[in-house]
Amino acid sequence: MKNVMEQDIKKVLISREEIERKIDEVAEQISRDYADKDLLLVGILKGSVVFLADLMRRLSIHAQIDFMSVSSYGSGTKSSGVVKIIKDLDNSVEGRDVLLVEDILDSGLTLSYLRELLRDRHPNSIRIVTLLNKPARRTADIQPDYCCFDVPDEFVVGYGLDYAERYRNLPYVGVLKEEVYKN
């Protein structure tokens, strides 16, 4: 059966194979950096789910996971700048080494807000790992500690990233055709 989502993709930006290779590298580095630490991976829902699942399976160390759900996009293409916590963590981060897992670091507003919110809960450390980094759109003073790929300022979907809750299940990162989101 033909993949109906393919018709909306302008081009494949990062292939499944490239993603897998890069996640292997990042997981090795994280495993070394957190070898003797109490690591808590915090997935930012919903976009991070695919990346988090693949990343945690590649770690060679103990790690627990938890999730937060925040909203700053709605169904639009630009961040609203207002962050709303929809689901908070189930576990305390006090004294833990927290690694925020995100699909894309774009404006940085959401992750900057979350980092400050979690700092007030007294973790041992807070770092950020992201599948994609889009520095051209950054408005907050924040950078990822671990990053798989820098991407240009194009609207990307797939591998967890969405437009209006669609395209998350594409096995690669693709550029969405403008006519899809500019209607």
Side-chain angles (χ1 to χ4, degrees):
M1 183 171 168
K2 187 175 182 324
N3 186 332
V4 296
M5 294 177 286
E6 300 280 334
Q7 67 193 9
D8 296 339
I9 303 301
K10 180 175 164 182
K11 67 181 177 184
V12 174
L13 191 61
I14 308 166
S15 72
R16 174 190 286 192
E17 295 78 19
E18 290 172 298
I19 292 169
E20 289 176 1
R21 279 193 301 274
K22 194 62 177 181
I23 292 175
D24 284 342
E25 290 175 27
V26 170
E28 282 181 31
Q29 184 63 50
I30 291 169
S31 293
R32 283 192 297 273
D33 292 351
Y34 289 90
D36 297 320
K37 310 228 183 222
D38 185 15
L39 180 59
L40 177 64
L41 300 169
V42 175
I44 310 304
L45 296 173
K46 299 176 187 166
S48 72
V49 169
V50 177
F51 176 47
L52 173 64
D54 285 348
L55 177 67
M56 68 185 219
R57 283 191 300 250
R58 288 171 166 85
L59 294 175
S60 60
I61 58 171
H62 292 287
Q64 294 179 336
I65 62 170
D66 205 340
F67 295 94
M68 292 186 83
S69 180
V70 299
S71 175
S72 64
Y73 278 86
S75 61
T77 60
K78 290 191 173 25
S79 175
S80 66
V82 177
V83 179
K84 177 182 171 191
I85 303 291
I86 296 167
K87 183 222 175 287
D88 206 337
L89 296 172
D90 295 328
N91 300 295
S92 170
V93 298
E94 189 169 346
R96 311 278 313 267
D97 291 288
V98 175
L99 185 57
L100 296 173
V101 182
E102 182 64 292
D103 55 354
I104 187 167
L105 180 49
D106 195 327
S107 70
L109 295 172
T110 300
L111 280 176
S112 183
Y113 174 83
L114 288 177
R115 185 175 63 183
E116 293 310 308
L117 176 77
L118 294 177
R119 271 193 184 138
D120 290 342
R121 298 178 185 182
H122 310 291
N124 185 45
S125 68
I126 300 176
R127 288 175 140 180
I128 297 167
V129 60
T130 186
L131 177 69
L132 305 177
N133 182 35
K134 194 186 284 188
R137 297 280 303 268
R138 192 87 73 249
T139 57
D141 183 20
I142 192 167
Q143 295 298 324
D145 298 284
Y146 306 95
C147 173
C148 293
F149 302 96
D150 284 337
V151 293
D153 190 11
E154 296 187 272
F155 199 93
V156 291
V157 294
Y159 204 79
L161 293 107
D162 75 302
Y163 170 66
E165 295 297 326
R166 295 179 174 206
Y167 308 101
R168 291 189 196 276
N169 55 319
L170 287 171
Y172 55 80
V173 174
V175 176
L176 194 61
K177 290 179 181 174
E178 283 189 33
E179 60 264 23
V180 174
Y181 60 90
K182 292 226 172 168
N183 290 337

